[in-house]
C-alpha cells in the first residue's frame, strides 16, 4: 500500500507539472527543503533509509536548477524575515540538514561551498559529545545481516525469520514504528536489548556517523552556515512529559550556544512529523527563546505572518526520486494546502 501511495503521489505531481501550474502560479513565498543524509548511492536491495538519503550529484543538480528558476537562497534568519513581511518579487528556498552527520561535511559541504549558498544545520548535541544513540542506523545494520531475528516487545519475545529484502523491509518498518512510540528511557532499553542480541555496537555506530565538535567548529566558521538546535538527544517529544521536553529544548540550546559562542535562534523538532510533537511544544519553543522551529510536515511558507514561525513546514526530499520536475512542483507550493497557524506567528 505504501508503494501504491508513493506512485499515486508521484503521478499527481507529474500531472501538476504537465498542466503548467508551477510556471503559471505559485502558493506562498518560499519553501524550506529538508535533507538528512547526503552520500554516494549504495548497492544492495535492502536500504530502508534510502528515502532519507540523496546523492551529492542530485544535490548539485537541485541547486543548479533552483538557481535557474531564480530562487533566492536564504538562511533561517532571512526566512523568518520573509515570513512576516510583504511578499517579495522572487521566491526563496532554504536548504536545511538534520542530524549533523559526517556525511554532511564529507559529501554535502563541497557541493554547497562550490555553489556559495547559505544553509542551516540542526545539531542534536549528544551526538558530537559521543553519547547520542542513532538507533535507526543500528536497526538497519542488524536486520541487514540477520536472517533470524528476536527481541523483547513488552513482556513477550518476538521471533522472525527474514530472508528476502521485502521481509527485511517489513520488519524494519514494524520495529521502527514501535520504537518511535516508546518513551526515551524505554527506547534505550529496547534498542540496547536488540543490539546485545544481535551483536551490534550502538555507541560505535552512532559516533562513526556523527560529526564531532571539531568538525562542527569548522562548519560554524563558514558565514554561509546557520547552526540550529535539534535538542540534546533527538527524542520523540510527544513521548515525554512536558518538563522533560522543555528541558531537551533549553539544554540543547544552551550546550550549542556554549560550544559555538553565539546565539542559537532556530530549532528543529526531532523527527518533526505530526505524531512526534504537539501544540504545547510549539509554545515551548517560543518560551525557550527560539525565533523559529521547523517540522517535517510538508508545506510552503507564506508571508505577512500567516505561517507560524515555530511550526514551519518543510519539504523532506525523498532520495528515491531524482525528478527535477517534481522538485519544481513542490517548491512552487501548488501541491500544498495553506498551512494553518498554531499559536503565535510572530517573529522572535
Amino acid at each position: 500500500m505504501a508503494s501504491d501511495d508513493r506512485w499515486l503521489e508521484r503521478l499527481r505531481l507529474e500531472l501538476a507539472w504537465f498542466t503548467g501550474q508551477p510556471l503559471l502560479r505559485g502558493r506562498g513565498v518560499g519553501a524550506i527543503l529538508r535533507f538528512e543524509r547526503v552520500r554516494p548511492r549504495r548497492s544492495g536491495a535492502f536500504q530502508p533509509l534510502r528515502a532519507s538519503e540523496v546523492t551529492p550529484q542530485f544535490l548539485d543538480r537541485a541547486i543548479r536548477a533552483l538557481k535557474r528558476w531564480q530562487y533566492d537562497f536564504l538562511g533561517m534568519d532571512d526566512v523568518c524575515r520573509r515570513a512576516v513581511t510583504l511578499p517579495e518579487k522572487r521566491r526563496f528556498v532554504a536548504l536545511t540538514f538534520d542530524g549533523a552527520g559526517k556525511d554532511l561535511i564529507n559529501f554535502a559541504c563541497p557541493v554547497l561551498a562550490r555553489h556559495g549558498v547559505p544553509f542551516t544545520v540542526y545539531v542534536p548535541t549528544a551526538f558530537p559529545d559521543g553519547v547520542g544513540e542513532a538507533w535507526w542506523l543500528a536497526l538497519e545494520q542488524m536486520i541487514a545481516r540477520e536472517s533470524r531475528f528476536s527481541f523483547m516487545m513488552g513482556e513477550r519475545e518476538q521471533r522472525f525469520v527474514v530472508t528476502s529484502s521485502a521481509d527485511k523491509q517489513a520488519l524494519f518498518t514494524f520495529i521502527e514504528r514501535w520504537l518511535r512510540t516508546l518513551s526515551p528511557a524505554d527506547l534505550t532499553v529496547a534498542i540496547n536489548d536488540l543490539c546485545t542480541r544481535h551483536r551490534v555496537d550502538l555507541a560505535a555506530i552512532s559516533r562513526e556517523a556523527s560529526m564531532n565538535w571539531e568538525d562542527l567548529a569548522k562548519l560554524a566558521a563558514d558565514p554561509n552556515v546557520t547552526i540550529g538546535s535539534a535538542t540534546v538527544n533527538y527524542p520523540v517529544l510527544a513521548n515525554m512529559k512536558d518538563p522533560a521536553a522543555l528541558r531537551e529544548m533549553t539544554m540543547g540550546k544552551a550546550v550549542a550556544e556554549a560550544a559555538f559562542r553565539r546565539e542559537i535562534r532556530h530549532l528543529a523538532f526531532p523527527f518533526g512529523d505530526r505524531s512526534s510533537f504537539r501544540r504545547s511544544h510549539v509554545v515551548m519553543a517560543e518560551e525557550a527563546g527560539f525565533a523559529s522551529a521547523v517540522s517535517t510536515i510538508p508545506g510552503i511558507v507564506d508571508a505577512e505572518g500567516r505561517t507560524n514561525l515555530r511550526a514551519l513546514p518543510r519539504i523532506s526530499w525523498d532520495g528515491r526520486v531524482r525528478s527535477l520536475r517534481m522538485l519544481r512542483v513542490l517548491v512552487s507550493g501548488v501541491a500544498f494546502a495553506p498551512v494553518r497557524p498554531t499559536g503565535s506567528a510572530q517573529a522572535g
Side-chain angles (χ1 to χ4, degrees), residues 14 20 26 41 54 65 81 85 87 90 105 124 127 131 139 148 151 180 195 212 263 265 276 292 317 333-334 342 345:
E14 293 282 4
R41 190 168 298 281
V54 299
R81 180 183 61 80
T85 56
R90 285 166 59 115
I105 203 165
F127 287 79
V131 294
L139 182 63
R148 295 182 180 275
F151 62 98
R180 286 274 304 272
C195 290
N212 56 34
E263 184 184 9
R265 291 171 43 81
S276 65
S292 79
W317 188 255
V334 298
T342 305

Side-chain angles (χ1 to χ4, degrees), residues 50-64:
R50 187 170 174 179
S52 63
E53 301 176 2
V54 299
T55 64
Q57 292 78 15
F58 179 81
L59 180 62
D60 179 73
R61 290 176 59 226
I63 293 172
R64 290 179 187 276

Side-chain angles (χ1 to χ4, degrees), residues 8 85 107 116 128 144 148 222 226 241 256 321 329:
L8 289 171
T85 56
F107 301 114
R148 295 182 180 275
D222 185 339
T226 298
K241 294 183 178 179
V321 178
V329 172

